[in-house]
Amino acid sequence: MRTPLIAGNWKMFKTVAEAAAAVRQLGELVSGVTGVDVVVAPTFTAIHAAAQAASGTRIGIAGQNLYWEKEGAFTGEISGGMLKEAGAAWVIIGHSERRALFGETDLTVNRKIGAAFASALTPIVCIGETLDQRERHETFDVLDTQIRQGLEGLTGNDLVRLVIAYEPVWAIGTGRTASPAQAGEAHAHIRTRLRQWFGADAGDQCRILYGGSVKPENIAELIAQPDVDGGLVGGASLDPKGFAEIVRKARPA
Ligand code: PGA
């Protein structure tokens, strides 16, 4: 039985004060909602304050990225240990914006997963095809490559300690959500590969989130798909009330 997970990706939004206030409000709104894991990913500067605001609530805190070295002359980077110390327990890795704008590849994703494990952070590993790739019917090939290279060297035991987020790039921030059938088909494909490559048990246990224009109005039909275990939510996670509604609607029936 996979516990649903709703993760909010705040991207480059919210100051320290705004992030702490949003976490406090969200904490109250979801305090009675059981059976769903809830995570938010503030900017690096707000992680510590957000983690303090989250203490005593059921909200987990995630970084949006990390670097694989522990420390050193890597201007502008942050390590897994630093994220952990600041109060994060999770980290998003390989988001499509990082891949498209900041040169991340499946190879860097792979190194970052190792670094996250080394610091006892739970990676949320993002994969997904672009519109061009979908139109050329390459979606499954793209996903296969991202899984194979991104998760290279990992075992079944590792797989159950991470979360996959399937985020079709054409659905991110566009208001254009994948239909439940499209999401369901991609998730089923990912699950099949995870079972083949990491063992049936590990493949069955690994949570696969859907991301791309998730909102209160569509989460129920998405999560009703058998292999959709929750959502990675961007825009709709910024408002605590709307985000809490998504969390409530993700509860197991
Ligand atoms: P969106 O973003 O919900 O605003 O489409 C999702 C994401 O980028 O993780």
Side-chain angles (χ1 to χ4, degrees):
M1 171 72 192
R2 300 181 295 264
T3 305
L5 166 63
I6 300 293
N9 174 8
W10 285 351
K11 309 194 178 186
M12 203 173 76
F13 293 101
K14 293 195 191 294
T15 62
V16 174
E18 288 166 352
V23 167
R24 272 192 294 275
Q25 194 185 345
L26 183 64
E28 281 170 27
L29 289 166
V30 301
S31 64
V33 188
T34 52
V36 184
D37 291 340
V38 185
V39 168
V40 294
T43 58
F44 288 144
T45 51
I47 283 180
H48 185 60
Q52 287 188 320
S55 133
T57 74
R58 32 200 317 276
I59 301 169
I61 302 295
Q64 298 176 13
N65 180 31
L66 85 171
Y67 191 57
W68 53 79
E69 296 288 349
K70 282 201 186 95
E71 60 179 12
F74 305 107
T75 303
E77 294 299 317
I78 182 163
S79 73
M82 290 167 180
L83 283 178
K84 185 84 184 178
E85 188 211 16
W90 305 72
V91 62
I92 298 170
I93 294 178
H95 188 277
S96 65
E97 286 152 18
R98 303 275 339 151
R99 293 175 188 255
L101 304 173
F102 303 102
E104 295 204 11
T105 63
D106 295 322
L107 206 76
T108 62
V109 165
N110 186 258
R111 297 186 77 165
K112 289 178 179 202
I113 293 171
F117 282 153
S119 294
L121 295 165
T122 301
I124 301 175
V125 181
C126 302
I127 59 175
E129 82 286 0
T130 63
L131 187 57
D132 275 0
Q133 290 165 334
R134 176 162 282 266
E135 285 174 348
R136 290 198 302 263
H137 305 286
E138 293 170 4
T139 298
F140 290 167
D141 290 339
V142 169
L143 295 176
D144 286 356
T145 302
Q146 290 174 333
I147 296 167
R148 204 190 322 255
Q149 297 185 356
L151 307 189
E152 171 151 22
L154 302 191
T155 65
N157 282 342
D158 296 326
L159 188 74
V160 303
R161 292 155 60 212
L162 61 75
V163 174
I164 304 275
Y166 168 63
E167 299 204 304
V169 178
W170 47 272
I172 295 179
T174 58
R176 196 178 151 185
T177 321
S179 68
Q182 284 172 323
E185 183 190 38
H187 281 239
H189 176 83
I190 295 165
R191 177 94 52 215
T192 300
R193 288 292 183 253
L194 297 179
R195 288 173 55 105
Q196 283 173 342
W197 293 339
F198 297 91
D201 282 355
D204 282 338
Q205 280 179 54
C206 182
R207 289 187 281 192
I208 308 173
L209 311 184
Y210 168 79
S213 300
V214 171
K215 33 186 192 267
E217 296 75 32
N218 59 25
I219 184 65
E221 58 184 18
L222 289 162
I223 210 161
Q225 298 292 313
D227 289 303
V228 176
D229 305 313
L232 180 55
V233 188
S237 71
L238 294 170
D239 165 37
K241 282 205 185 93
F243 189 59
E245 200 179 329
I246 294 174
V247 172
R248 274 193 297 275
K249 289 187 168 163
R251 269 182 304 198

